[in-house]
């Protein structure tokens, strides 16, 4: 018998890519229409290496090419090694990838990776394979129904994909296609299956997850809040999170669920990008800074301990010092537990790419100022946890013996001395010390 072929996947970008990488691994390890691969963490022993890529900023996309270059010695050592590019760079650049890096055997977009086994047959025969269709059929109907058991008690579940919002700077509507919501019964059965395998926390994923509008078992269109309430009924599922949301889809029922659904964690990632109405308009965000702040206020009214995170872009074309100050004001007003800020990166094919960039030095300086403010708020949020009681879902062993690491309700990393029996369990703790990126706690 020949040894099973080995597959190594490297994942870039957002959580949806993390989910997709797991699903690609599942199709290829299932051995339908081809050899059953075994997973490996070591690229040097792989027969197939897949890079699941991100196109969101220029740096992310260029990293793929430098990483491909670094695979050259592996290919020289093993001419049978096959190399594939999946994900959003694959979708955006297609055959160009093979032209630029002829070592690449396979290019597959985010909507067609259920066809990977068939594509691998072509590749095994020495041909190149390329598939960046946006097919009518639902890839999820063609993937293994059961998920591979994970070692962790947390799991991602993609409920919605794609984006119809077309923010002026963003490639996602082009790389992921139109908004599609998966049907409720499929999601509930995937969730039940995950819980049966020891998952206690599910994070619902979507590029616009709160725009979810899937067909329910009753034939009606269900909102994200409807879906959350159905998940709330699954015994053994302890925690529900969702990401990433758009302010314009923050519906009343979803805000209300934050006040009434005990399993829904008091943490929300709600990107706003800018605090300037002029820039928000140029970005095609279709909401104002005040509307965004009003949503935050309503969330905090129903759930006072709500922790917020956001995304910001600085140096969007035309951003003045006053526009940037409006962003700083918004950050001061909201007070974030965490936030991600990026220097604007012009992306080919997006409307904003036609406009003139803010000078580099100006954008870099603004980014530093914004990041300093965000870090200050993050520290304050961590420090305010000291002395408080919260719950932690323990996920893995800590670095020190006898210690476990998990996440608080507010998505903060927490470590505590606890027996391994508590892995996968939600335990009550008191926070005794705050560090920059983690909290120390004792069990109560
Ligand atoms: N769907 C989500 C997130 C999309 S991408 C949303 O609507 O918020 C994640 C983040 O990357 C965005 O929130 C934005 O802050 C950042 N981003 C997207 N395109 C960018 C670009 N061209 N330059 C810099 N940052 C960008
Ligand atoms: Fe991109 Fe805007 Fe869609 Fe988010 S809402 S994925 S930023 S186009
Ligand atoms: Fe990147 Fe695609 Fe996600 S561009 S952020 S991997 S949707």
């Amino acid at each position: 018998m020949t040894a099973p072929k080995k597959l190594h996947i490297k994942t870039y970008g957002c959580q949806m890519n993390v989910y997709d990488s797991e699903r690609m691994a599942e199709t290829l390890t299932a051995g339908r229409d081809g050899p059953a691969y075994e997973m490996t963490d070591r690229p040097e022993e792989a027969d197939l290496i897949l890079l699941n890529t991100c196109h969101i900023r220029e740096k992310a996309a260029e990293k793929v090419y430098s990483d491909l270059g670094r695979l050259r010695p592996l290919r020289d050592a093993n001419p049978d090694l096959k190399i594939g590019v999946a994900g959003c760079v694959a979708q955006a650049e297609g055959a160009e990838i093979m032209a630029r890096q002829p070592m690449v055997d396979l290019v597959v977009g985010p909507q067609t990776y259920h066809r990977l086994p068939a594509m691998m047959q072509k590749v095994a025969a020495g041909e190149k394979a390329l598939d960046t269709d946006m097919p009518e059929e639902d890839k999820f109907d063609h993937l293994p129904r059961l998920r591979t058991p994970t070692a962790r008690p947390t799991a991602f579940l993609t409920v919605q994909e794609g984006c119809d919002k077309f923010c002026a700077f963003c490639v996602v509507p082009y790389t992921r296609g139109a908004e599609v919501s998966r049907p409720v019964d499929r999601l509930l059965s995937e969730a039940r299956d995950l819980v049966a395998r020891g998952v206690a926390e599910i994070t619902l994923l979507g590029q616009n997850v709160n725009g979810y509008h899937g067909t329910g078992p009753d034939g009606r269109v269900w909102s994200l809040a409807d879906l959350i309430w159905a998940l709330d009924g699954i015994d053994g599922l302890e925690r529900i999170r969702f990401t990433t949301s758009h302010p314009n889809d923050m519906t009343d029922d979803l805000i209300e669920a934050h006040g009434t659904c005990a399993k829904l964690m008091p943490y929300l990632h709600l990107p706003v990008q800018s605090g300037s109405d002029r820039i928000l308009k140029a970005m095609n965000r279709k909401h104002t800074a005040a509307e965004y702040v009003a949503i935050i206020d309503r969330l905090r009214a129903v759930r006072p301990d709500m922790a917020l995170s956001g995304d910001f872009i600085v140096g969007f074309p035309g951003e003045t010092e006053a526009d940037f100050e409006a962003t700083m004001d918004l950050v001061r007003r909201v007070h974030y537990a965490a936030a991600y800020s990026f220097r604007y990166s012009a992306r080919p094919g997006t409307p904003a790419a036609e406009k003139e960039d803010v000078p580099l030095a100006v954008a870099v300086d603004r980014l530093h100022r914004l990041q300093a403010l965000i870090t200050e708020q993050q520290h304050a949020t961590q420090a305010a946890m000291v002395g408080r009681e919260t719950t932690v879902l323990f996920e893995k062993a800590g670095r020190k013996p006898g210690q476990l690491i998990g996440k608080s309700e507010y998505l903060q990393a927490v470590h505590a001395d606890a027996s391994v029996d508590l892995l996968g369990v939600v335990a009550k703790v008191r926070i005794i010390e705050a560090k920059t990126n983690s909290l120390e706690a004792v069990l109560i």
Side-chain angles (χ1 to χ4, degrees), residues 196-261:
R197 288 148 193 267
V199 167
E201 175 182 303
I202 291 180
T203 302
L204 307 176
L205 298 182
Q207 266 91 21
N208 271 303
V209 71
N210 58 340
Y212 178 83
H213 53 277
T215 308
D218 53 3
R220 203 169 55 83
V221 173
W222 284 32
S223 68
L224 186 68
D226 294 333
L227 179 65
I228 287 169
W229 280 112
L231 290 164
D232 181 69
I234 299 179
D235 277 344
L237 180 61
E238 307 277 353
R239 291 174 154 193
I240 304 165
R241 303 182 186 276
F242 59 90
T243 199
T244 293
S245 301
H246 192 287
N248 292 355
D249 290 324
M250 223 45 228
T251 49
D252 293 348
D253 58 349
L254 190 56
I255 293 177
E256 210 177 286
H258 270 290
T260 47
C261 179

Side-chain angles (χ1 to χ4, degrees), residues 9-26 52 113 147 155-156 158 176 205:
I9 303 184
K10 179 168 179 184
T11 307
Y12 308 68
C14 64
Q15 289 106 323
M16 306 214 45
N17 264 14
V18 174
Y19 179 85
D20 288 342
S21 290
E22 285 174 14
R23 305 308 316 256
M24 285 191 246
E26 282 162 7
N52 192 16
Y113 61 74
R147 304 289 307 276
F156 291 137
T158 293
R176 291 275 172 167
L205 298 182

Side-chain angles (χ1 to χ4, degrees), residues 12-14 16-17 53-56 88 171-172 175-176 207:
Y12 308 68
C14 64
M16 306 214 45
N17 264 14
T53 62
C54 173
H55 200 245
I56 201 82
C88 292
V171 294
V172 171
T175 64
R176 291 275 172 167
Q207 266 91 21

Side-chain angles (χ1 to χ4, degrees), residues 24-243:
M24 285 191 246
E26 282 162 7
T27 23
L28 290 166
T29 54
R32 283 197 217 161
D33 308 320
Y37 284 85
E38 248 175 33
M39 296 305 293
T40 176
D41 293 337
R42 292 160 34 101
E44 56 279 10
E45 63 174 34
D47 302 285
L48 169 61
I49 296 177
L50 285 179
L51 305 183
N52 192 16
T53 62
C54 173
H55 200 245
I56 201 82
R57 285 169 288 274
E58 189 181 356
K59 253 196 199 150
E62 281 307 312
K63 176 119 196 352
V64 173
Y65 288 100
S66 58
D67 283 1
L68 279 171
R70 246 178 267 130
L71 295 179
R72 163 70 57 197
L74 296 185
R75 172 75 145 228
D76 290 344
N78 173 14
D80 291 333
L81 169 66
K82 304 297 182 194
I83 295 172
V85 176
C88 292
V89 176
Q91 191 64 44
E93 297 183 3
E96 249 175 77
I97 299 173
M98 287 160 168
R100 202 171 145 185
Q101 185 48 272
M103 213 169 58
V104 172
D105 302 292
L106 170 145
V107 170
V108 62
Q111 301 309 347
T112 45
Y113 61 74
H114 56 292
R115 298 176 181 164
L116 264 174
M119 294 176 78
M120 281 315 296
Q121 287 183 353
K122 247 180 121 178
V123 170
E127 292 171 50
K128 301 235 176 218
L130 171 99
D131 194 341
T132 52
D133 280 1
M134 295 269 180
E136 283 287 312
E137 85 248 18
D138 178 359
K139 67 173 176 260
F140 296 108
D141 287 338
H142 300 266
L143 290 166
R145 267 195 178 247
L146 294 183
R147 304 289 307 276
T148 305
T150 52
R152 295 263 181 114
T154 58
F156 291 137
L157 175 54
T158 293
V159 304
Q160 179 277 338
E161 276 201 281
C163 184
D164 298 338
K165 300 268 191 292
F166 291 93
C167 300
F169 51 80
C170 185
V171 294
V172 171
Y174 313 98
T175 64
R176 291 275 172 167
E179 282 183 27
V180 177
S181 298
R182 297 178 64 192
V184 171
D185 54 356
R186 291 298 303 270
L187 297 172
L188 293 179
S189 70
E190 197 170 321
R192 283 194 204 97
D193 173 52
L194 288 167
V195 173
R197 288 148 193 267
V199 167
E201 175 182 303
I202 291 180
T203 302
L204 307 176
L205 298 182
Q207 266 91 21
N208 271 303
V209 71
N210 58 340
Y212 178 83
H213 53 277
T215 308
D218 53 3
R220 203 169 55 83
V221 173
W222 284 32
S223 68
L224 186 68
D226 294 333
L227 179 65
I228 287 169
W229 280 112
L231 290 164
D232 181 69
I234 299 179
D235 277 344
L237 180 61
E238 307 277 353
R239 291 174 154 193
I240 304 165
R241 303 182 186 276
F242 59 90
T243 199

Side-chain angles (χ1 to χ4, degrees), residues 268-290:
L268 181 69
H269 182 61
L270 193 62
V272 60
Q273 317 299 353
S274 169
S276 153
D277 287 343
R278 216 176 59 83
I279 294 297
L280 287 170
K281 191 154 198 288
M283 285 177 165
N284 194 31
R285 291 288 292 185
K286 300 197 175 87
H287 61 77
T288 62

Side-chain angles (χ1 to χ4, degrees), residues 311-369:
D311 288 340
F312 294 90
I313 295 177
V314 301
F316 185 81
E319 184 188 72
T320 62
E321 184 59 24
D323 292 320
F324 175 69
E325 273 307 329
T327 299
M328 295 288 276
D329 285 343
L330 180 140
V331 173
R332 285 184 203 103
R333 170 75 165 78
V334 172
H335 202 282
Y336 289 93
Y340 306 88
S341 47
F342 312 98
R343 188 161 60 74
Y344 169 73
S345 167
R347 305 306 290 128
T350 60
E354 309 291 311
K355 299 192 187 157
E356 203 182 323
D357 279 3
V358 166
L360 178 66
V362 174
V364 168
D365 172 64
R366 287 179 190 164
L367 185 65
H368 287 161
R369 283 152 64 200

